[in-house]
Amino acid sequence: AQSVTQPDIHITVSEGASLELRCNYSYGATPYLFWYVQSPGQGLQLLLKYFSGDTLVQGIKGFEAEFKRSQSSFNLRKPSVHWSDAAEYFCAVDTFTGTASKLTFGTGTRLQVTL
Amino acid sequence: KAGVTQTPRYLIKTRGQQVTLSCSPISGHRSVSWYQQTPGQGLQFLFEYFSETQRNKGNFPGRFSGRQFSNSRSEMNVSTLELGDSALYLCASSIEGRVEETQYFGPGTRLLVL
């Protein structure tokens, strides 16, 4: 079965420090991978997505992610975190059924930013 | 262009009641998906509609149902509410629901079952 694992439930970083959020997936076919962010009381916003091609994907708000097939990973990175990045981050894989897209999410990583 | 809107934003119901939630997709989007978010189970896919047809369904009991109208607006209904149905219900829209499309999420409806 398709699944996504985010090993870190909660991460705290200092403003200006670098960030890496881990994501591992289990999916038989070529994965379509996503990172979403959710601020308190808000819906989900897409940060970036990977379908094929270049394994380093650039997203919004200065985020990037690297797809590593050999490690079944799709880790999210940001070189310098801002206080406004505090939120919950979700990695997802699209388990396309042939008729419709369907996202399977990880359990999320809550990011806290200290000043 | 207006984003995905969901109504109501907050709802309190008691066990045994039923509830209907509404989702209006972005103009021009014909695919609407619903997700349930709880602290214990995380984000789980409920179902997806396209052109008034349910194309995909998650592992939820039959108490959870939905429909889509000709203007692409969608509703989901939960009958015989249980305490465990307390959750944030999110809907997302995309143009045709294809995997390469971005799904845009609404702010959600927070349901509390007492």
Side-chain angles (χ1 to χ4, degrees):
Chain A
Q2 305 86 354
S3 66
V4 177
T5 302
Q6 293 182 248
D8 305 306
I9 296 173
H10 187 203
I11 283 183
T12 300
V13 299
S14 300
E15 189 174 39
S18 63
L19 171 71
E20 182 169 30
L21 302 182
R22 296 183 292 165
C23 172
N24 293 97
Y25 66 90
S26 172
Y27 187 55
T30 300
Y32 298 91
L33 297 161
F34 305 79
W35 275 99
Y36 282 86
V37 61
Q38 184 178 36
S39 298
Q42 304 291 318
L44 299 171
Q45 182 183 23
L46 179 68
L47 287 174
L48 47 80
K49 57 187 177 183
Y50 171 78
F51 293 154
S52 63
D54 193 350
T55 57
L56 186 62
V57 181
Q58 300 298 320
I60 62 171
K61 304 185 180 185
F63 286 94
E64 66 177 27
E66 186 171 13
F67 170 66
K68 293 185 177 179
R69 185 185 296 276
S70 61
Q71 298 177 20
S72 297
S73 70
F74 188 56
N75 294 348
L76 181 71
R77 301 194 295 245
K78 186 170 185 178
S80 178
V81 169
H82 188 262
W83 64 266
S84 61
D85 293 325
E88 188 148 24
Y89 291 79
F90 294 92
C91 182
V93 62
D94 196 312
T95 53
F96 183 64
T97 63
T99 56
S101 173
K102 169 188 166 185
L103 292 172
T104 297
F105 288 90
T107 50
T109 297
R110 182 166 297 279
L111 174 64
Q112 183 177 358
V113 180
T114 58
L115 301 176
Chain B
K1 192 182 272 192
V4 178
T5 57
Q6 292 187 246
T7 57
R9 291 293 308 278
Y10 304 93
L11 206 49
I12 300 176
K13 292 286 188 178
T14 56
R15 279 183 303 173
Q17 287 187 311
Q18 75 165 16
V19 68
T20 299
L21 312 181
S22 180
C23 172
S24 293
I26 292 172
S27 177
H29 287 194
R30 294 160 62 196
S31 168
V32 174
S33 298
W34 288 89
Y35 293 83
Q36 181 197 63
Q37 185 176 23
T38 61
Q41 299 297 317
L43 279 153
Q44 294 185 287
F45 173 81
L46 280 157
F47 28 64
E48 187 261 359
Y49 285 87
F50 177 78
S51 290
E52 302 178 65
T53 300
Q54 185 183 91
R55 296 193 299 186
N56 211 348
K57 189 176 191 302
N59 296 323
F60 280 82
R63 299 186 298 107
F64 291 82
S65 63
R67 60 177 176 168
Q68 187 180 35
F69 302 95
S70 58
N71 62 357
S72 296
R73 189 177 70 85
S74 177
E75 290 181 347
M76 67 163 282
N77 183 275
V78 188
S79 62
T80 320
L81 282 166
E82 300 177 0
L83 296 179
D85 297 332
S86 294
L88 180 66
Y89 291 88
L90 295 164
C91 84
S93 77
S94 64
I95 298 172
E96 293 186 351
R98 293 178 300 171
V99 66
E100 63 268 27
E101 297 171 1
T102 296
Q103 291 197 38
Y104 294 88
F105 283 80
T109 293
R110 187 165 295 280
L111 171 65
L112 178 61
V113 181
L114 301 175

